[in-house]
Amino acid sequence: MKVFVLDTNKKTQNPVNPAKARLLLSEGKAAVFRQYPLTIILKEDVVEANPKPLRKTVGKTIQGIGWKYCRVLHLSDGYSYNTTC
């Protein structure tokens, strides 16, 4: 689980581990912005910040199997399904 981080201008930064977030909170360098999902806001400006983009899930999954492998699953197990992928 990660903790989301905002800078003083409310722009997103790289998420941090909960241990790092607790350290920032206990040192007074950050404050809780939102409890769910846990988001902290930094009290000092970040000079040079290049946040990494968050990864998004692409495609649908069926029982942990990728969408593009659904037809292969239907053909390989020998059972005729009524639903199509």
Side-chain angles (χ1 to χ4, degrees), residues 5 7-8 10-12 19 22 27 41 44 69 82-83:
V5 180
D7 64 1
T8 55
K10 296 185 181 176
K11 292 185 179 178
T12 59
R22 282 192 302 270
E27 291 178 351
I41 187 165
E44 298 176 2
Y69 299 110
N82 291 332
T83 59

Side-chain angles (χ1 to χ4, degrees), residues 4-11 13 21-33 39-47:
F4 296 108
V5 180
L6 300 175
D7 64 1
T8 55
N9 299 323
K10 296 185 181 176
K11 292 185 179 178
Q13 300 297 313
R22 282 192 302 270
L23 184 67
L24 290 170
L25 290 169
S26 65
E27 291 178 351
K29 295 182 179 179
V32 175
F33 182 74
T39 306
I40 60 174
I41 187 165
L42 299 175
K43 293 184 178 181
E44 298 176 2
D45 286 333
V46 178
V47 177

Side-chain angles (χ1 to χ4, degrees), residues 19-77:
K20 178 69 174 178
R22 282 192 302 270
L23 184 67
L24 290 170
L25 290 169
S26 65
E27 291 178 351
K29 295 182 179 179
V32 175
F33 182 74
R34 184 181 296 159
Q35 286 187 346
Y36 186 81
L38 182 57
T39 306
I40 60 174
I41 187 165
L42 299 175
K43 293 184 178 181
E44 298 176 2
D45 286 333
V46 178
V47 177
E48 198 172 308
N50 296 323
K52 296 178 184 177
L54 298 176
R55 295 190 319 185
K56 295 181 180 179
T57 304
V58 179
K60 297 181 180 180
T61 58
I62 299 174
Q63 296 177 356
I65 298 172
W67 181 260
K68 63 183 178 180
Y69 299 110
C70 186
R71 184 167 302 282
V72 175
L73 174 69
H74 284 276
L75 296 175
S76 65
D77 67 357

